[in-house]
Amino acid sequence: MTSEKRRPIIAGNWKMNTTPEEGAALAESVLNQSMQVPDLDMVVCPPFTGLHAVAERLTGSSVSLGAQDMHWESDGAYTGAISAKMLLTLGCRHVILGHSERRTIFGESDDHVNRKIHQALTTGLLPIVCVGESLDERESRRTEQVVTVQIRAALSGISEGQMEGLVLAYEPIWAIGTGRVATPEQANSVHHHIRSLVEAQFGAHVSSAIRIQYGGSVKPDNAHELLSQPDIDGALIGGASLEADSFIAIAQAAVS
Ligand code: PGA
């Protein structure tokens, strides 16, 4: 199965950066340059406080809005939490779930991730589900095992129909924000493995359609070789998404 059949998807994870004003300005620059790259899906994920201001800029455009996390319950006494419906009504289409920073810094478990995915899908948000191994796990050759556990847990109880529009992201923890990027072959081999897990659970129809992003120190100068791998369908970009020029340059690399 080749990536030609899948439309690339590029998402910018702004993490805990940008005020609403800064976010709106960044979104505007992305939007202005996005016309140069029509043949892919583009998503920006500001912090919660910037969603409204960014949504106003993106309304009616081809750039989609995403959030960086949400709670697994629909409402209730969860101080500080944000629900899927709140995100949807603010204009979000996507939500990043299971990012390694949520898992390692905030103690999010595979079960939490699974519950969030169910809630997002039930509400009508499209999850971008992140998995990836630590440096220690890679060095002890447990990458596939770790990713298998994460994928199986994340997708537990999800129906074939719900997989439509869901995006997976392989993000080796040792490559996030470190400048240390997986080689295209390393990344593609894990993507291939993830696709085979999806095939085992949902069949070839779903596995050939699902988009799997790579994330971890993706920059304009390494994007092309990563994104030209057959099983890599886009990128989840942290640091390089905070400048419109580098974000758009990565998008261009995805379609070149
Ligand atoms: P990075 O972050 O591009 O800054 O490595 C990627 C991510 O955490 O999604």
Side-chain angles (χ1 to χ4, degrees):
M1 205 51 64
T2 66
S3 56
E4 277 112 60
K5 294 194 179 155
R6 295 182 289 269
R7 184 175 164 90
I9 178 164
I10 299 289
N13 175 7
W14 296 357
K15 307 194 179 182
M16 197 173 72
N17 297 294
T18 68
T19 62
E21 293 72 22
E22 290 164 349
L26 177 53
E28 188 117 15
S29 312
V30 167
L31 191 55
N32 290 338
Q33 295 187 57
S34 65
M35 329 294 179
Q36 300 164 22
V37 207
D39 298 325
L40 90 175
D41 291 337
M42 204 178 275
V43 186
V44 293
C45 305
F48 293 133
T49 49
L51 287 171
H52 179 66
V54 172
E56 282 188 333
R57 294 300 189 287
L58 299 182
T59 305
S61 81
S62 60
V63 180
S64 301
L65 186 65
Q68 300 173 17
D69 185 36
M70 49 163 263
H71 198 265
W72 57 81
E73 293 291 351
S74 58
D75 48 58
Y78 301 99
T79 301
I82 301 284
S83 75
K85 188 174 166 195
M86 293 172 190
L87 300 178
L88 195 69
T89 53
L90 271 176
C92 289
R93 181 172 160 78
H94 295 273
V95 59
I96 299 171
L97 296 176
H99 190 280
S100 66
E101 284 150 17
R102 299 295 321 167
R103 294 175 188 261
T104 58
I105 303 171
F106 300 101
E108 200 164 296
S109 67
D110 282 333
D111 180 53
H112 293 146
V113 177
N114 175 251
R115 291 162 75 178
K116 289 179 179 192
I117 294 169
H118 279 278
Q119 182 64 35
L121 291 168
T122 303
T123 311
L125 288 171
L126 300 174
I128 298 175
V129 180
C130 306
V131 298
E133 82 287 4
S134 66
L135 184 58
D136 179 47
E137 288 160 345
R138 172 158 287 267
E139 286 178 342
S140 55
R141 298 175 187 277
R142 285 184 288 138
T143 298
E144 288 202 355
Q145 185 193 327
V146 167
V147 166
T148 300
V149 169
Q150 290 174 334
I151 290 282
R152 286 200 181 133
L155 301 181
S156 169
I158 304 294
S159 70
E160 186 183 325
Q162 287 178 311
M163 290 297 282
E164 196 177 331
L166 182 145
V167 174
L168 298 173
Y170 168 57
E171 298 205 304
I173 296 172
W174 48 272
I176 295 177
T178 58
R180 191 176 159 183
V181 64
T183 66
E185 294 73 26
Q186 278 175 329
N188 194 64
S189 119
V190 182
H191 281 233
H192 190 74
H193 175 67
I194 292 172
R195 203 175 296 286
S196 71
L197 293 170
V198 173
E199 181 170 359
Q201 188 173 345
F202 301 98
H205 178 65
V206 174
S207 71
S208 63
I210 193 151
R211 294 179 295 180
I212 309 175
Q213 297 177 315
Y214 170 79
S217 296
V218 178
K219 307 285 178 223
D221 61 359
N222 60 27
H224 180 71
E225 38 166 19
L226 284 161
L227 292 164
S228 54
Q229 295 293 310
D231 282 300
I232 301 184
D233 309 310
L236 182 54
I237 306 153
S241 71
L242 293 171
E243 299 276 347
D245 288 357
S246 48
F247 185 60
I248 295 294
I250 294 169
Q252 277 164 334
V255 291
S256 64

